[in-house]
Amino acid sequence: MSDKKKSKSGRKKFHFGWNSIGLKLLDIFILKKYLGTFFFATLLILAVVTMFDITEKLDAFLTAPLKETLFDYFVSFLPYFANQLAPLFTFIAVIFFTTKLAGNSEIIAILSSGISFNRFMRPYMIGAAVIAAMIFALSNYVIPPTNIKRIAYTNKYVKNVQVTSGVDIQLMARPGEVVYIGRFENSSKTGYRFSFDKFKNKELVSRLTSQTITYDSARMYHWTAHNYMIRDFDGMKEKIRTGDKLDTIIPIEPRDFLISEDDQETMTTPQLSEYIDNQKSRGVANIKAFEIEKERRYASTAAAFILTLIGVSLSAKKVKGGMGINIGIGLVLSFSYILFSAVTSQFAISGMTSPWVAMWIPNFLYLGIGLFLYYRARKF
């Protein structure tokens, strides 16, 4: 009899604890489990990925100096890869430890003590906010500058995908100012068959032509024309000036027209926004990859909340198949999210949709899935 009383009193004490000061302990407990599992899963998968990457690029790693491999490549590659797959790691973390809680009937005990499912979700959302803030900072500000060395390393030792020359380049430097370069070689920063036309009220008022023009990398927008000729037009009158060398300021630089495959990954979001605006004003068409990258950074931040919602709602109930069933479903959903994002990005590249729509369609779709699962989970 005394044992029963003790048991009842202990249960009452447990219920009282969760409903008062114990709620803070519950928040801390879930938050620690969530973030701890997230970082553990991240490190574990990164270790596996590193082994595969070393195997794939072994020839390059043996050729390159060890210092460059460690500090130019891996110091950037590991955070970059972890950030790219952060939605997957988030989902795995939630599914793994929430399924374990459900299997031990701890969630039933928490909810039966009077705590609502909405309140139970609070520490998960706090954890998602921490992860989302980390993803936002890494994607928008921290990782892009480090990508410069990583991409330079892969171009030098693995496979060079850098665009080093261009032909028939035409773009608008400023409103009413059109630049044409017949051929440009980035190795020497030299352009051939150069012309620079100025228009006023749609009439040509000046044309600068030169056999060659070179860009000074040390000074922004600084160009030097060689063997130049300037023709100034005033109605039917024409004035011609020639010379061997002319230093001039033209607000374009080689990266504005020599666009390589991974250039968008080397810019912080403010730089990316400025670059996109400048390229649009110049009439440059091939900037879809830059617009997609900008929207992807924001969409992946929101994905932390959406996948957390799905993960908790999916794994909060105890199932006969145990942890394996939930983890299997979770992996399918998380990989399908990543695959769907890759597919919709191609819609933007092909012009079928805008980059914003392409990057946010997966979030809206999976948010709908999450709300449906959450509605079902509330009927616990």
Short mmCIF file of all heavy atoms in Angstrom, two decimals, residues 172-212:
data_model
loop_
_atom_site.label_atom_id
_atom_site.label_comp_id
_atom_site.label_asym_id
_atom_site.label_seq_id
_atom_site.Cartn_x
_atom_site.Cartn_y
_atom_site.Cartn_z
N MET A 172 26.01 47.09 -71.86
CA MET A 172 25.84 48.50 -71.56
C MET A 172 26.62 48.85 -70.30
O MET A 172 26.39 48.27 -69.24
CB MET A 172 24.35 48.82 -71.36
CG MET A 172 24.06 50.30 -71.21
SD MET A 172 22.28 50.61 -70.98
CE MET A 172 21.65 50.05 -72.57
N ALA A 173 27.57 49.78 -70.42
CA ALA A 173 28.36 50.21 -69.27
C ALA A 173 27.53 51.11 -68.36
O ALA A 173 27.50 50.92 -67.14
CB ALA A 173 29.62 50.93 -69.73
N ARG A 174 26.88 52.08 -68.96
CA ARG A 174 25.96 53.00 -68.29
C ARG A 174 24.84 53.29 -69.27
O ARG A 174 24.96 52.98 -70.46
CB ARG A 174 26.68 54.29 -67.89
CG ARG A 174 27.55 54.19 -66.65
CD ARG A 174 28.15 55.54 -66.27
NE ARG A 174 29.13 55.97 -67.24
CZ ARG A 174 30.43 56.13 -66.99
NH1 ARG A 174 30.91 55.89 -65.78
NH2 ARG A 174 31.25 56.55 -67.93
N PRO A 175 23.73 53.86 -68.81
CA PRO A 175 22.67 54.21 -69.76
C PRO A 175 23.22 55.08 -70.89
O PRO A 175 23.84 56.12 -70.65
CB PRO A 175 21.66 54.98 -68.90
CG PRO A 175 21.86 54.42 -67.53
CD PRO A 175 23.32 54.14 -67.42
N GLY A 176 23.03 54.63 -72.11
CA GLY A 176 23.51 55.38 -73.27
C GLY A 176 24.96 55.11 -73.63
O GLY A 176 25.50 55.77 -74.53
N GLU A 177 25.62 54.14 -72.95
CA GLU A 177 27.02 53.82 -73.25
C GLU A 177 27.14 52.31 -73.50
O GLU A 177 26.85 51.51 -72.61
CB GLU A 177 27.94 54.23 -72.09
CG GLU A 177 27.94 55.73 -71.82
CD GLU A 177 28.84 56.12 -70.67
OE1 GLU A 177 29.37 55.22 -69.99
OE2 GLU A 177 29.04 57.33 -70.45
N VAL A 178 27.54 51.96 -74.71
CA VAL A 178 27.59 50.56 -75.12
C VAL A 178 29.03 50.17 -75.43
O VAL A 178 29.73 50.85 -76.19
CB VAL A 178 26.70 50.29 -76.36
CG1 VAL A 178 26.78 48.83 -76.78
CG2 VAL A 178 25.26 50.68 -76.06
N VAL A 179 29.46 49.03 -74.83
CA VAL A 179 30.81 48.52 -75.02
C VAL A 179 30.76 47.28 -75.91
O VAL A 179 29.88 46.43 -75.74
CB VAL A 179 31.46 48.16 -73.67
CG1 VAL A 179 32.79 47.45 -73.87
CG2 VAL A 179 31.66 49.41 -72.83
N TYR A 180 31.71 47.19 -76.83
CA TYR A 180 31.86 45.98 -77.65
C TYR A 180 33.32 45.55 -77.65
O TYR A 180 34.22 46.38 -77.83
CB TYR A 180 31.40 46.21 -79.09
CG TYR A 180 31.68 45.00 -79.98
CD1 TYR A 180 30.83 43.90 -79.97
CD2 TYR A 180 32.81 44.98 -80.79
CE1 TYR A 180 31.09 42.79 -80.76
CE2 TYR A 180 33.08 43.87 -81.59
CZ TYR A 180 32.22 42.79 -81.57
OH TYR A 180 32.49 41.68 -82.34
N ILE A 181 33.57 44.25 -77.40
CA ILE A 181 34.92 43.69 -77.47
C ILE A 181 34.85 42.45 -78.35
O ILE A 181 34.09 41.50 -78.07
CB ILE A 181 35.45 43.30 -76.07
CG1 ILE A 181 35.43 44.51 -75.14
CG2 ILE A 181 36.86 42.74 -76.17
CD1 ILE A 181 35.83 44.21 -73.70
N GLY A 182 35.63 42.44 -79.41
CA GLY A 182 35.61 41.31 -80.34
C GLY A 182 36.10 40.03 -79.70
O GLY A 182 35.52 38.96 -79.89
N ARG A 183 37.18 40.13 -78.93
CA ARG A 183 37.71 38.97 -78.19
C ARG A 183 38.44 39.46 -76.96
O ARG A 183 39.11 40.49 -77.01
CB ARG A 183 38.68 38.16 -79.07
CG ARG A 183 39.10 36.84 -78.44
CD ARG A 183 40.00 35.99 -79.33
NE ARG A 183 41.41 36.30 -79.16
CZ ARG A 183 42.15 36.98 -80.01
NH1 ARG A 183 41.60 37.46 -81.13
NH2 ARG A 183 43.42 37.22 -79.80
N PHE A 184 38.27 38.73 -75.85
CA PHE A 184 38.95 39.12 -74.61
C PHE A 184 39.65 37.90 -74.03
O PHE A 184 39.05 36.82 -73.91
CB PHE A 184 37.96 39.68 -73.59
CG PHE A 184 38.63 40.23 -72.35
CD1 PHE A 184 39.09 41.53 -72.31
CD2 PHE A 184 38.82 39.43 -71.23
CE1 PHE A 184 39.71 42.05 -71.18
CE2 PHE A 184 39.43 39.93 -70.09
CZ PHE A 184 39.88 41.24 -70.07
N GLU A 185 40.92 38.07 -73.65
CA GLU A 185 41.72 37.01 -73.02
C GLU A 185 41.98 37.40 -71.58
O GLU A 185 42.64 38.41 -71.31
CB GLU A 185 43.05 36.81 -73.76
CG GLU A 185 42.91 36.37 -75.22
CD GLU A 185 42.31 34.98 -75.33
OE1 GLU A 185 42.41 34.21 -74.35
OE2 GLU A 185 41.76 34.66 -76.40
N ASN A 186 41.44 36.60 -70.65
CA ASN A 186 41.56 36.95 -69.24
C ASN A 186 42.97 36.78 -68.71
O ASN A 186 43.35 37.44 -67.75
CB ASN A 186 40.58 36.09 -68.42
CG ASN A 186 40.35 36.67 -67.04
OD1 ASN A 186 40.16 37.87 -66.88
ND2 ASN A 186 40.39 35.81 -66.03
N SER A 187 43.75 35.88 -69.31
CA SER A 187 45.12 35.65 -68.82
C SER A 187 45.97 36.91 -68.94
O SER A 187 46.79 37.21 -68.07
CB SER A 187 45.77 34.52 -69.62
OG SER A 187 45.76 34.81 -71.01
N SER A 188 45.77 37.68 -70.01
CA SER A 188 46.53 38.92 -70.21
C SER A 188 45.68 40.16 -69.94
O SER A 188 46.18 41.28 -70.05
CB SER A 188 47.07 38.98 -71.64
OG SER A 188 46.00 38.94 -72.57
N LYS A 189 44.39 39.95 -69.59
CA LYS A 189 43.45 41.05 -69.36
C LYS A 189 43.40 41.98 -70.57
O LYS A 189 43.30 43.21 -70.43
CB LYS A 189 43.85 41.87 -68.12
CG LYS A 189 44.00 41.05 -66.84
CD LYS A 189 42.69 40.46 -66.38
CE LYS A 189 42.85 39.71 -65.07
NZ LYS A 189 41.62 38.99 -64.67
N THR A 190 43.43 41.40 -71.77
CA THR A 190 43.49 42.18 -72.99
C THR A 190 42.29 41.90 -73.88
O THR A 190 41.92 40.73 -74.08
CB THR A 190 44.78 41.88 -73.78
OG1 THR A 190 45.91 42.15 -72.94
CG2 THR A 190 44.88 42.71 -75.04
N GLY A 191 41.68 42.97 -74.39
CA GLY A 191 40.59 42.85 -75.34
C GLY A 191 41.03 43.34 -76.71
O GLY A 191 41.89 44.22 -76.83
N TYR A 192 40.43 42.78 -77.75
CA TYR A 192 40.78 43.11 -79.13
C TYR A 192 39.54 43.60 -79.87
O TYR A 192 38.43 43.20 -79.58
CB TYR A 192 41.37 41.90 -79.85
CG TYR A 192 42.59 41.32 -79.16
CD1 TYR A 192 42.45 40.35 -78.16
CD2 TYR A 192 43.88 41.77 -79.47
CE1 TYR A 192 43.57 39.83 -77.51
CE2 TYR A 192 45.00 41.26 -78.83
CZ TYR A 192 44.83 40.29 -77.84
OH TYR A 192 45.94 39.78 -77.20
N ARG A 193 39.76 44.51 -80.85
CA ARG A 193 38.68 45.12 -81.63
C ARG A 193 37.65 45.75 -80.69
O ARG A 193 36.49 45.38 -80.64
CB ARG A 193 38.02 44.10 -82.56
CG ARG A 193 39.00 43.45 -83.52
CD ARG A 193 38.29 42.67 -84.62
NE ARG A 193 37.28 41.75 -84.12
CZ ARG A 193 37.53 40.54 -83.63
NH1 ARG A 193 38.80 40.11 -83.58
NH2 ARG A 193 36.56 39.76 -83.22
N PHE A 194 38.10 46.74 -79.97
CA PHE A 194 37.29 47.39 -78.93
C PHE A 194 36.58 48.61 -79.51
O PHE A 194 37.14 49.36 -80.32
CB PHE A 194 38.19 47.81 -77.77
CG PHE A 194 37.51 48.68 -76.75
CD1 PHE A 194 36.67 48.13 -75.79
CD2 PHE A 194 37.68 50.07 -76.76
CE1 PHE A 194 36.04 48.93 -74.85
CE2 PHE A 194 37.06 50.87 -75.83
CZ PHE A 194 36.24 50.30 -74.87
N SER A 195 35.33 48.81 -79.05
CA SER A 195 34.62 50.04 -79.38
C SER A 195 33.76 50.46 -78.19
O SER A 195 33.25 49.61 -77.45
CB SER A 195 33.74 49.86 -80.62
OG SER A 195 32.66 48.98 -80.36
N PHE A 196 33.62 51.77 -78.04
CA PHE A 196 32.85 52.32 -76.92
C PHE A 196 31.99 53.45 -77.47
O PHE A 196 32.49 54.52 -77.82
CB PHE A 196 33.81 52.83 -75.84
CG PHE A 196 33.14 53.38 -74.61
CD1 PHE A 196 32.00 52.78 -74.09
CD2 PHE A 196 33.64 54.51 -73.98
CE1 PHE A 196 31.38 53.29 -72.95
CE2 PHE A 196 33.04 55.03 -72.84
CZ PHE A 196 31.90 54.41 -72.34
N ASP A 197 30.68 53.21 -77.58
CA ASP A 197 29.76 54.16 -78.20
C ASP A 197 28.95 54.88 -77.13
O ASP A 197 28.45 54.27 -76.18
CB ASP A 197 28.79 53.45 -79.14
CG ASP A 197 29.50 52.79 -80.32
OD1 ASP A 197 30.61 53.24 -80.64
OD2 ASP A 197 28.94 51.84 -80.89
N LYS A 198 28.81 56.21 -77.32
CA LYS A 198 27.98 57.01 -76.43
C LYS A 198 26.81 57.59 -77.22
O LYS A 198 26.99 58.13 -78.31
CB LYS A 198 28.79 58.15 -75.82
CG LYS A 198 29.86 57.70 -74.83
CD LYS A 198 30.56 58.90 -74.20
CE LYS A 198 31.61 58.47 -73.18
NZ LYS A 198 32.28 59.63 -72.55
N PHE A 199 25.61 57.43 -76.65
CA PHE A 199 24.40 57.91 -77.30
C PHE A 199 23.73 58.99 -76.45
O PHE A 199 23.79 58.95 -75.22
CB PHE A 199 23.40 56.75 -77.50
CG PHE A 199 23.88 55.69 -78.45
CD1 PHE A 199 24.69 54.64 -78.01
CD2 PHE A 199 23.53 55.75 -79.79
CE1 PHE A 199 25.13 53.68 -78.88
CE2 PHE A 199 23.97 54.77 -80.68
CZ PHE A 199 24.78 53.73 -80.21
N LYS A 200 23.08 59.93 -77.13
CA LYS A 200 22.29 60.95 -76.46
C LYS A 200 21.00 61.11 -77.24
O LYS A 200 21.03 61.43 -78.44
CB LYS A 200 23.05 62.28 -76.40
CG LYS A 200 22.33 63.34 -75.59
CD LYS A 200 23.18 64.61 -75.47
CE LYS A 200 22.47 65.66 -74.62
NZ LYS A 200 23.29 66.90 -74.50
N ASN A 201 19.88 60.87 -76.56
CA ASN A 201 18.57 60.89 -77.23
C ASN A 201 18.57 59.95 -78.44
O ASN A 201 18.08 60.30 -79.53
CB ASN A 201 18.21 62.31 -77.65
CG ASN A 201 18.06 63.26 -76.47
OD1 ASN A 201 17.61 62.84 -75.40
ND2 ASN A 201 18.46 64.51 -76.66
N LYS A 202 19.14 58.77 -78.23
CA LYS A 202 19.20 57.71 -79.23
C LYS A 202 20.04 58.06 -80.45
O LYS A 202 20.00 57.36 -81.47
CB LYS A 202 17.78 57.32 -79.69
CG LYS A 202 16.91 56.75 -78.57
CD LYS A 202 15.56 56.33 -79.09
CE LYS A 202 14.70 55.75 -77.95
NZ LYS A 202 13.36 55.32 -78.43
N GLU A 203 20.84 59.12 -80.35
CA GLU A 203 21.74 59.48 -81.44
C GLU A 203 23.18 59.28 -81.00
O GLU A 203 23.55 59.62 -79.87
CB GLU A 203 21.53 60.95 -81.86
CG GLU A 203 20.21 61.20 -82.55
CD GLU A 203 20.10 62.63 -83.06
OE1 GLU A 203 21.12 63.37 -82.93
OE2 GLU A 203 19.04 63.00 -83.57
N LEU A 204 24.00 58.73 -81.89
CA LEU A 204 25.41 58.50 -81.59
C LEU A 204 26.14 59.82 -81.55
O LEU A 204 26.15 60.58 -82.52
CB LEU A 204 26.02 57.58 -82.65
CG LEU A 204 27.49 57.19 -82.46
CD1 LEU A 204 27.67 56.34 -81.20
CD2 LEU A 204 27.99 56.41 -83.68
N VAL A 205 26.80 60.12 -80.40
CA VAL A 205 27.52 61.39 -80.26
C VAL A 205 29.03 61.18 -80.17
O VAL A 205 29.79 62.11 -80.40
CB VAL A 205 27.03 62.16 -79.01
CG1 VAL A 205 25.58 62.57 -79.19
CG2 VAL A 205 27.22 61.35 -77.75
N SER A 206 29.46 59.94 -79.83
CA SER A 206 30.91 59.70 -79.72
C SER A 206 31.20 58.22 -79.86
O SER A 206 30.40 57.37 -79.43
CB SER A 206 31.43 60.21 -78.37
OG SER A 206 32.80 59.90 -78.21
N ARG A 207 32.32 57.90 -80.50
CA ARG A 207 32.75 56.51 -80.63
C ARG A 207 34.26 56.42 -80.41
O ARG A 207 35.03 57.08 -81.10
CB ARG A 207 32.39 55.93 -81.98
CG ARG A 207 33.10 54.60 -82.29
CD ARG A 207 32.55 53.92 -83.52
NE ARG A 207 31.24 53.34 -83.27
CZ ARG A 207 30.55 52.67 -84.19
NH1 ARG A 207 31.03 52.53 -85.41
NH2 ARG A 207 29.37 52.15 -83.88
N LEU A 208 34.64 55.59 -79.44
CA LEU A 208 36.05 55.31 -79.18
C LEU A 208 36.35 53.90 -79.68
O LEU A 208 35.67 52.94 -79.30
CB LEU A 208 36.35 55.39 -77.68
CG LEU A 208 37.66 54.79 -77.18
CD1 LEU A 208 38.87 55.52 -77.76
CD2 LEU A 208 37.72 54.79 -75.65
N THR A 209 37.34 53.77 -80.54
CA THR A 209 37.75 52.45 -81.03
C THR A 209 39.25 52.29 -80.82
O THR A 209 40.00 53.28 -80.79
CB THR A 209 37.43 52.27 -82.53
OG1 THR A 209 38.10 53.30 -83.28
CG2 THR A 209 35.93 52.33 -82.78
N SER A 210 39.66 51.06 -80.61
CA SER A 210 41.09 50.78 -80.46
C SER A 210 41.36 49.34 -80.87
O SER A 210 40.47 48.47 -80.81
CB SER A 210 41.55 51.00 -79.01
OG SER A 210 40.94 50.05 -78.15
N GLN A 211 42.59 49.10 -81.30
CA GLN A 211 42.98 47.74 -81.69
C GLN A 211 42.99 46.82 -80.48
O GLN A 211 42.51 45.69 -80.56
CB GLN A 211 44.36 47.77 -82.37
CG GLN A 211 44.39 48.51 -83.69
CD GLN A 211 45.77 48.49 -84.32
OE1 GLN A 211 46.68 47.83 -83.83
NE2 GLN A 211 45.93 49.22 -85.42
N THR A 212 43.52 47.31 -79.36
CA THR A 212 43.54 46.52 -78.13
C THR A 212 43.21 47.43 -76.94
O THR A 212 43.40 48.65 -77.01
CB THR A 212 44.91 45.87 -77.87
OG1 THR A 212 45.91 46.89 -77.73
CG2 THR A 212 45.29 44.91 -78.99
#
